[in-house]
Structure formats: structure tokens, C-alpha cells
Amino acid sequence: MVNVTYGVLSQNADGTYTLNPLGTDLIATVDGAASAFDAGDIAWILTCAALIIFMLPGLGYLYSGLARRKNALNLIFLSMVSLAIVSFQWFFIGYSLVFSATGGSFFGDGRNVGFRQVLERAIPEANNRLPELVFATYELMFAALVPAVLLGAAAERSRTLPAMLFIFCWTTLVYDPLAHWVWSEHGWAFKWGVLDYAGGVPVEIASGVGGLAYSYFIGKRRGYGTERVLFKPSNVGHVVLGTVFLWVGWMGFNGGSCFAASLKAAMAVFVTNLAGSVGGITWLLMDYRLERKWSMVGFCTGAIAGLVAITPAAGFVGAPAGALIGLVAALVSNLSTRLKVSMRVDDPMDIFAVHALAGIVGVLMTGLFAQSSVAANDGYADIPGGWLDHNYIQLAKQLAWASVGVGYTFVVTLAIMYVINLIPGCRFRASEEAELVGMDEVEHDEYVADYAFKERDLEGNYTHERGRTELERRISVLSARLRGATPDGLGHGHGDGRRRVVSAHGSDDSDEKHAAVRVSRHTSAEATLAESRERSRGRSRGPPVIREKVDEEREPPAADMGRPRGEPDVTATPVAPPGQV
């Protein structure tokens, strides 16, 4: 029977308690034992849970800005659908596997399947400061975030249906055991004395190593190793917006992991922001020494590396150690971004370097700089600390914990993908046509913005011949067509040099869907050619001016993926007068 009321419990001289109904604490009586929960603690943890939700669209925006625009919406979708899938998984079985009160050293049991008996019980993992329902809601957000981080590895070449099945299975078989081992009072790592404040292994290393396994399994993108994938981020604004959402959400991620509105929460928030700031500045300077440019994308990446590394340490280290952790994590991650070339893996979002390696840095440095005095800022925690407290064995424990996380995650992730890939209709790898057209059109038939369709960046629109831009190529094609000839190498499957457009279903749409577009372009190009002829005959001054009519279906070249829109291609060869084509 549940007995919940509100007030304040006052202890009497004889050791008994008196309930004052004028208070605001939540008083729950379970099996004759009363527990008092501070309303401020509950409000803080629920607020932190809401902040973590912001990290999911933040990941989507970050990944979509780094990818080509024809794949942007797919990455936002995977980030958001992760919240929905894991919310059901957590309600159905996930919470019970991680935090059931009667679980074992390696797995929880079925005590809380379907959220049975999840309500008012005081949670020992939260120092008995929270009712179980509040604690379970907060921990759900961690579980939902991790597969969303991992699926950045699916960028531009993974189908959506198997990815959604993967989210459910991976959370159940990888995240839940790792979280149980280190956060449940019954877990073997928790009882062994491993220090992992907010998820160095269950969150950061698991997502980074899982992403590496995902990348290996689905293979490299079409055109990997060529200029086709040497593009700049399609939307730096989305990268910045995503980083802001992640940064704000991380305050709740680390600030709420002490499960109370306390001095320890304040310290965790401060060192989290400090590590992210130092990491961003470090990466920025490292990029500047090579490019002599202040990279916004580099700053965002470094900030995320610093935030990742401070995650396992935020509740155990002071401000100086927090700054050092952010610095070292950004250095290691920046220097490791080229590892994917040596490892022969296509990791488009650098998930392994920024999450796995930075997470390992954070876990190991926690063993060096953890302090019992900092952990005790909540009035409850009692840890032996790390090297600063002369507890030298702690580093070995942290190293073993990180190693277990890397090995277990990589092997089980590959096994999950192997099994799902055998299910009819659930092959992970998208078709070559889907990669060419873009995952947004093939998987969703929707786009991140209308210009993503109007200005589609199909790879077939790009030619590297003599470094010319696509506009110049079109002018050459139309000029030759007017003279009754087709330049060599400029046709795409048709004798008249017309562009062949393949729809999302593999059919040829060039004769019907794009007929009006070709007429408009042809007319515009003829006018441009006429103007060029007039200039070449001396009837007007100045160099030839090339204009292109902007219509509703104009498609810019895929070459513009390699530089910001509006920036001229300085390597392009000027167009010769029509008479010399």
C-alpha cells in the first residue's frame, strides 16, 4: 500500500518523528518505513532530465550540419526516434535490467518489467534522496542519448529500419549491462570501487566504440577516398546550434548525477563548463596552427571532446583538474582524427576520436585526480579518491574498467548487427542509388529545408574535368548542342548529353519530371551564350558575364559541398568564348 503525503518530519528527543503538515517535503511510507524527499531535489533532477532531452535534437543538428544536405534530415530523425524507442524499451524492460532492487552482479532481473512497483521507494543509488519514479525518469534520458550518439556512424549510407531495430537491441544488450555494472549497488564494478560519475564507459566509450563497430560493419561511403567525400560541412549554423544544445544539456547530464540540489551539483556544473571551454580553445588553436583560420567547427568539436572527458570525473575532481582534463582530451582527440585512415574505417563524424578516446582520457584521469573531499560535497559520498589522495590502485581499476567497456561493446555490437542484417528487408547498407540521391529522399521523402530539394547535390552533377564549375560545363554542353555535337565525356547516359536523373525508386525521371526545368535552363543558357558572343565581337566592354536563371528546380553542383555557398572556385578555368569551344 502506498502512503504519500507532504510536510516536514521532525525528530523528537526519544528518537521518534512528528509530521508537520505545513512543510513541502514528500513523505512516503513503504512497509512501515517513512522516507522524506526534498521538493527542491526532485525539482532539480526533473529539470536536469528535461535539459538532457535537448541533447537529442542537439546531436541531430550537429550531425546534419556536418553531413551533406541530402542526408541531413535522416540524421535528425535517428536522433529523435532514439528517444521514442528507448523510452518504450526503458519502460518495458530496460530499467529493470539496470536498477532492479533484487538484481545480481551482472544483470538485473524482471522485478520492474513494465514499470511495476516503480513509484515511491527510496533509491540507495541516489543516497535515498529521490523517489524511484523520479530517479527512473532521469536515468531514462541517459539511455536514450547513447544510441543517438552512436548512430552518427550511420551517416549517408545506412538504412533507417535496421537502425531502429538496432537501437532497441543495442540498448538492451550493451548499454543496460554496462550501466548496471557501474551504477547499480549490485553491479560488480560498483562494488569493486570503480569511479564513473556520469558515464565514461556506459555513455561515452560505449557510443564511440559502438560507432566504430557500426562503421566497420556497413563499410565505407560511396566514393570514399576521392574528392566526392572531401566536402565541407553543409550547414555550420546547424553545427553551432547542435553544440549549444549539447552544452546546455550537459549541465543537466553532469549536474544532476549527484541526485540532489547540492554543492556537489554546483561543482559538477562548473567543471563541466570549464572543461568544455578549455577543450574548445585547445582544438581551435591546434587547427589555427595549420590552417591560419579560426574554425567554428573546430571550436565546437573541441568543446564536445572536453565535455565528453569530464563526464566520468565531474563529481570527483576540482576546477584545476577539470581544466586539465579538457585540455588533454582535446589534444588527444585532435591528433587522433587521422587514426581512421590507418584503421581503414569511414567514421564521418569522428565519433571514435571525440567520444571513445576522449572518454578513455576522462576515465583514466579520474583515477589520477579524483578527491574524496570533492566527492563529499553532497554530504554523503565517501570514496578513497585517486592518486592525489595516494590511492594509487585506483588508476589500475579505471584502466581495467575502460578495457572491459571497449571489448564488450565492440564484440556485442558486431554480433547484434550481424543478426539483424540476416532478417529479410533489414540489410543495414543502403543501395548505391540511395547514396547518390540521398537518404532524406529515399528513406523519408522529406528534406531538412526546401532548398535541399530545389538545389539537390547529386554527385552526377559534378565534373572535375579541367577544374570547371558545373555552370561552365552546362554552358559548354549547350553550346555544343546548338552546333550539333556532344562534347566527349559530358553525357550521362544519353547521346544528346542530357543529365540522367534517377529517382528514389531507381526509375528514370528525366523525360517527364524535369522537362520544364530543362527548357528553362536551355533558354537561359542560350541567352547567356548570345551575350557572350556579343562581348566577344567587341560590342560591349568588360569580360564575359555568366548568369543562370534561378528557377524552382535549379540544382547546384555537388562541388559546392567542398566550399561555402557563394564562394567562387578559384581553381576554375574561365569559359572560352563560344566560338572557341
Side-chain angles (χ1 to χ4, degrees), residues 100-318:
S100 60
T102 53
S105 296
F106 292 93
F107 301 100
D109 56 22
R111 179 181 186 272
N112 302 118
V113 169
F115 249 42
R116 293 179 302 162
Q117 306 178 60
V118 177
L119 187 59
E120 80 289 351
R121 180 176 72 94
I123 297 297
E125 289 88 349
N127 302 317
N128 295 315
R129 297 291 297 270
L130 294 176
E132 189 169 15
L133 181 60
V134 176
F135 176 80
T137 302
Y138 178 71
E139 292 295 335
L140 160 63
M141 304 310 164
F142 282 67
L145 179 68
V146 183
V149 176
L150 184 158
L151 285 175
E156 306 194 332
R157 69 218 192 269
S158 176
R159 295 178 60 237
T160 302
L161 175 60
M164 294 167 68
L165 293 175
F166 175 84
I167 290 172
F168 187 95
C169 297
W170 190 90
T171 303
T172 304
L173 299 177
V174 177
Y175 174 81
D176 289 350
L178 291 174
H180 176 79
W181 294 347
V182 74
W183 287 334
S184 170
E185 64 171 349
H186 305 293
W188 65 265
F190 180 90
K191 291 187 289 187
W192 191 36
V194 169
L195 300 178
D196 197 341
Y197 175 72
V201 169
V203 178
E204 307 302 351
I205 293 177
S207 61
V209 174
L212 179 69
Y214 200 105
S215 297
Y216 270 123
F217 190 89
I218 62 176
K220 300 173 182 177
R221 287 169 291 173
R222 179 179 180 273
Y224 182 79
T226 69
E227 71 278 358
R228 288 176 180 173
V229 295
L230 295 178
F231 56 88
K232 289 185 178 181
S234 63
N235 193 324
V236 177
H238 277 186
V239 174
V240 175
L241 180 62
T243 303
V244 170
F245 280 2
L246 287 169
W247 205 321
V248 172
W250 235 297
M251 301 300 107
F253 201 84
N254 291 349
S257 289
C258 61
F259 308 112
S262 63
L263 190 63
K264 185 175 181 178
M267 178 62 78
V269 169
F270 181 82
V271 298
T272 298
N273 178 72
L274 180 62
S277 301
V278 173
I281 294 172
T282 302
W283 197 297
L284 188 67
L285 294 175
M286 292 189 71
D287 278 1
Y288 183 81
R289 70 186 174 88
L290 299 175
E291 304 292 340
R292 291 296 185 266
K293 301 291 183 181
W294 301 106
S295 171
M296 187 72 241
V297 174
F299 174 79
C300 292
T301 307
I304 292 172
L307 292 167
V308 165
I310 198 61
T311 297
F316 304 134
V317 301

